[in-house]
Structures are given as C-alpha cells and as structure tokens.
Amino acid sequence: MEQVAGFLRWFHIMSGVMWIGLLYYFNFVQVQAIAAANKDQAGSAAPITKYVAPRALFWFRWAALATWLFGVGLLGPNVLSAFTFQNGFAAIGVGAWLGTIMFLNVWGIIWQHQKKVLNLGPYAANPASDEVKANSRVIAAFASRVNVLLSIPMFFFMIAGSSAHMGLFF
Amino acid sequence: MKKNYLDSLELTIGLGVALTLILYFAVKALS
C-alpha cells in the first residue's frame, strides 16, 4: 500500500510540475512575449497564439486534471479528513482545497475563455466576436494570475502538510 | 472593456506570499 502511495506521489508531482510549469510559462513568459511581439509589429504574435498556445493549453489542462486525480488518490481514505480539516489533516487540507480551486479555475474559467480567444473547440468553426474575445482575454488573464497567486500558498501547504514534513511547520 | 486587476506579477506574488502567511498563522492557531 505504501508503494502505491509512493507511485501516486511520483505521478502527482510529475503532472503537477507540468501543470504549474505551464501556468508559470503563460504568466511569466508568453503574455509578455505576445505584448512585445505586437508592439514590434501588429499581428507578429500570431505564430504564438496559433501554434504554441493551443498546445501549451492542451498539456496545461490535462496535467491539471491528472495532478488533481493523483492527489485525491494519494489522500486515499483520508480524502474526507483532509477536505474537512480534521485533526492532523488541516495543513494538507488547505493545500488540497487550494489545488482544487485552481483545478476548477483551469477547466471552468481559464479554458472556457481561452477557447473563445484562440478559436478552439466549438469556436474554431464559429469564432467569437472581437468584443467577446477582448473580454474573455482579460477574464482568462485575471483567472490565470489568480492561479499564480494561489500556487504560492498551495505549494507551501502541500510541502508542510506532506507526511515527509510532519511536525516541521505545524 | 474589463480590467485585469492582477496585471502586475509583483502584486500577484506579493499577495500570494501574504495569503500564505495569513493561512499559515490561521492553521497554526486553529490546530
């Protein structure tokens, strides 16, 4: 059983690195790159939005789902104790809630708006208007920044609440 | 046109660190 938990932790961390790595790529690299490219010459960011962003978003959202599922698997029978902050599970519970909010943000807000901005999914054949795209761009950017913000306490509580660090912070 | 209130990465990181400290002391006090 402990070996299963070990493997789940391995997959949880690997998919988490892919998810948050791409989140940081979007927020620390891509947004600024698109702004700089458009400043040089209007439309010169098109290769990023056409070829890079959809691929990054694909791995981003599926890695988010994988991370969450492996995390729930890792909590196993303690999942309810964690989400209700029972004795000894308060720290990992905060981490689990932050991760869950971030995961729901990815699928419920960021991805829904990015589909409109980048003409993906149902919007490939039926693109949103420029006005809708402009609003969705801001909402997606804000929601993405919120996840960067939440990732900071999320990482702390994942580490502090991990069985490997019991007693170190709490 | 909507506005992104977290346009600044510095503000985002600062708020993230502040939230970490608030939650840390809250959990510490309550557990």
Side-chain angles (χ1 to χ4, degrees):
Chain A
M1 207 48 209
E2 272 178 25
Q3 259 182 347
V4 174
F7 279 111
L8 284 171
R9 192 183 297 273
W10 177 28
F11 292 132
H12 178 59
I13 291 173
M14 277 201 301
S15 45
V17 166
M18 178 170 257
W19 172 17
I20 306 301
L22 286 168
L23 174 75
Y24 289 170
Y25 159 74
F26 285 127
N27 282 274
F28 289 83
V29 180
Q30 189 183 281
V31 169
Q32 290 79 352
I34 287 175
N38 281 333
K39 203 174 163 193
D40 273 352
Q41 192 184 338
S44 60
I48 302 173
T49 52
K50 187 175 177 188
Y51 299 107
V52 180
R55 286 173 173 84
L57 268 173
F58 173 87
W59 291 105
F60 169 73
R61 68 181 187 277
W62 289 108
L65 175 65
T67 307
W68 190 82
L69 289 175
F70 288 129
V72 169
L74 189 52
L75 283 169
N78 300 318
V79 69
L80 209 68
S81 304
F83 279 98
T84 52
F85 310 115
Q86 298 300 307
N87 260 350
F89 292 95
I92 196 64
V94 173
W97 268 112
L98 289 168
T100 301
I101 293 164
M102 291 170 66
F103 159 68
L104 293 174
N105 188 1
V106 167
W107 281 91
I109 301 176
I110 298 172
W111 171 231
Q112 301 309 320
H113 286 283
Q114 286 290 13
K115 274 194 285 193
K116 294 181 193 172
V117 174
L118 299 169
N119 300 331
L120 301 172
Y123 302 96
N126 192 17
S129 70
D130 284 348
E131 194 187 343
V132 168
K133 277 186 187 178
N135 274 334
S136 281
R137 193 172 290 121
V138 178
I139 295 168
F142 177 73
S144 192
R145 279 285 203 274
V146 167
N147 267 10
V148 172
L149 191 166
L150 295 178
S151 74
I152 295 168
M154 183 274 294
F155 274 130
F156 175 77
F157 282 94
M158 287 293 173
I159 291 164
S162 154
S163 52
H165 298 110
M166 275 302 163
L168 192 61
F169 295 101
F170 295 102
Chain B
M1 177 82 170
K2 291 178 186 298
K3 183 178 178 342
N4 180 2
Y5 291 98
L6 285 177
D7 208 27
S8 155
L9 270 171
E10 290 82 0
L11 174 66
T12 306
I13 293 166
L15 289 173
V17 172
L19 181 61
T20 306
L21 290 171
I22 290 166
L23 289 171
Y24 171 71
F25 287 112
V27 172
K28 192 118 179 129
L30 295 172
S31 58

